[in-house]
Amino acid sequence: MIRSRALLPAVCAVALLGGLLTGPTAQAAAWQLKWSPSAAKDGLAAFEGVEDDRAGSHPGVKHIYVQNGVYRFDMHMKDRDSSTDRQRQEVKGMRSPAGGPYLEWKKGETWRLTYSMYIPASLKATTTFTHIMQMKMPGNDSSPILTTSLRRYGSTPKIELNVENSGVVVGSTNLAPLQNKWIDVDFELKIGDAPNGSVHWVIRDGSTTVLDIKRGGLDTWLSDRVRPKWGIYRSLGDKSGSLQDCYLLLRDLKAYKLG
């Protein structure tokens, strides 16, 4: 009996250790929905800011607005940005709830955006920059970290994802088959200095996956925070004849944080 009592603490310790070893593991990180605006209900209050003709080049005309429950961005040939060699009609950042605090994307975090996009034939790829989505650090004259661009290579228009910080084109595909229809974008960004940054970019045309590409070892961080922008931002230096009045439509925007 004395021997049994002496062994009891050891037996209990082993049992406890066994419970720890066989108990539930820590819950895996999962996507948490942080932003899901309704264009019809929330309007432009869903965004941190709106850059609609910020140079006042086309007075009395609204270029960014909600139409039939989707976000619409209009660009006219007479429109000018504050730098007159380019044009810009963009929204920036995300407020959740609409009109409330803006969401901050920080170094070391991973975020995911999903949305649907309609690129009409009038919004053409150009030999100079035409961006329809950017990731930037807030502040005037800050360089883009990443861009989704419409670029013309000879006679071939492409849609491509560029990590500007790293000087890398992550992926591209032909633009023409994706125009005049709704397409779906799934974009994931891990924020970090090289080699800790990464992206995952998916484009779907209905049930068909047109492009699905991952790239690591990237520089996806400047300072302060990262902020997405959507709309049309393009140079007027194109010489291919691709510039004309155009528009862009967006709907079903959502943002998720991995945590």
Side-chain angles (χ1 to χ4, degrees), residues 180-215:
N180 297 326
K181 64 176 72 173
W182 285 100
I183 60 174
D184 299 314
V185 178
D186 193 329
F187 169 79
E188 180 182 323
L189 176 69
K190 182 178 181 181
I191 304 170
D193 294 316
N196 298 315
S198 65
V199 297
H200 183 193
W201 189 41
V202 181
I203 295 179
R204 297 185 178 92
D205 178 1
S207 61
T208 301
T209 299
V210 176
L211 184 148
D212 185 340
I213 189 165
K214 299 179 182 179
R215 181 74 178 261

Side-chain angles (χ1 to χ4, degrees), residues 48 51 54 88 92 136-144 222-227 229:
E48 182 180 336
E51 296 174 338
R54 62 183 187 173
R88 184 195 304 270
K92 56 188 178 182
K136 298 189 72 177
M137 179 186 78
N140 293 331
D141 302 320
S142 63
S143 299
L222 288 176
S223 183
D224 186 21
R225 60 188 173 101
V226 176
R227 181 171 65 186
K229 302 184 77 175

Side-chain angles (χ1 to χ4, degrees), residues 38-44 62 64-72:
S38 162
K41 178 183 176 182
D42 301 322
L44 298 180
K62 185 175 290 187
I64 305 173
Y65 52 97
V66 174
Q67 182 182 67
N68 299 324
V70 305
Y71 292 108
R72 179 174 174 125

Side-chain angles (χ1 to χ4, degrees), residues 7-196:
L7 290 174
L8 184 59
V11 171
C12 291
V14 170
L16 178 60
L17 180 60
L20 291 174
L21 292 175
T22 60
T25 58
Q27 186 175 359
W31 292 113
Q32 301 174 11
L33 181 62
K34 296 293 185 179
W35 184 65
S36 181
S38 162
K41 178 183 176 182
D42 301 322
L44 298 180
F47 303 102
E48 182 180 336
V50 179
E51 296 174 338
D52 185 330
D53 192 19
R54 62 183 187 173
S57 64
H58 200 173
V61 176
K62 185 175 290 187
H63 300 83
I64 305 173
Y65 52 97
V66 174
Q67 182 182 67
N68 299 324
V70 305
Y71 292 108
R72 179 174 174 125
F73 304 79
D74 288 342
M75 185 68 77
H76 309 102
M77 287 300 294
K78 71 177 297 179
D79 299 340
R80 295 293 183 271
D81 194 21
S82 50
S83 296
T84 57
D85 65 338
R86 61 197 63 193
Q87 302 175 296
R88 184 195 304 270
Q89 312 291 2
E90 290 184 305
V91 294
K92 56 188 178 182
M94 302 164 292
R95 292 188 181 275
S96 185
Y102 55 77
L103 297 177
E104 296 192 43
W105 296 25
K106 291 292 191 177
K107 188 176 183 179
E109 296 177 344
T110 301
W111 286 81
R112 178 185 175 200
L113 294 171
T114 62
Y115 56 96
S116 296
M117 176 168 56
Y118 188 99
I119 306 172
S122 60
L123 177 50
K124 300 181 183 301
T126 57
T127 53
T128 49
F129 71 82
T130 293
H131 304 321
I132 56 174
M133 193 274 276
Q134 300 187 75
M135 291 287 172
K136 298 189 72 177
M137 179 186 78
N140 293 331
D141 302 320
S142 63
S143 299
I145 299 169
L146 178 151
T147 58
T148 301
S149 305
L150 309 181
R151 188 174 292 276
R152 185 183 180 96
Y153 294 93
S155 60
T156 305
K158 298 276 190 178
I159 180 171
E160 62 184 29
L161 181 68
N162 301 273
V163 180
E164 307 282 355
N165 266 14
S166 299
V168 172
V169 177
V170 172
S172 68
T173 190
N174 288 338
L175 173 63
L178 303 178
Q179 290 181 290
N180 297 326
K181 64 176 72 173
W182 285 100
I183 60 174
D184 299 314
V185 178
D186 193 329
F187 169 79
E188 180 182 323
L189 176 69
K190 182 178 181 181
I191 304 170
D193 294 316
N196 298 315

Side-chain angles (χ1 to χ4, degrees), residues 1-9 11:
M1 297 296 295
I2 294 175
R3 180 177 298 174
S4 298
R5 292 191 186 98
L7 290 174
L8 184 59
V11 171

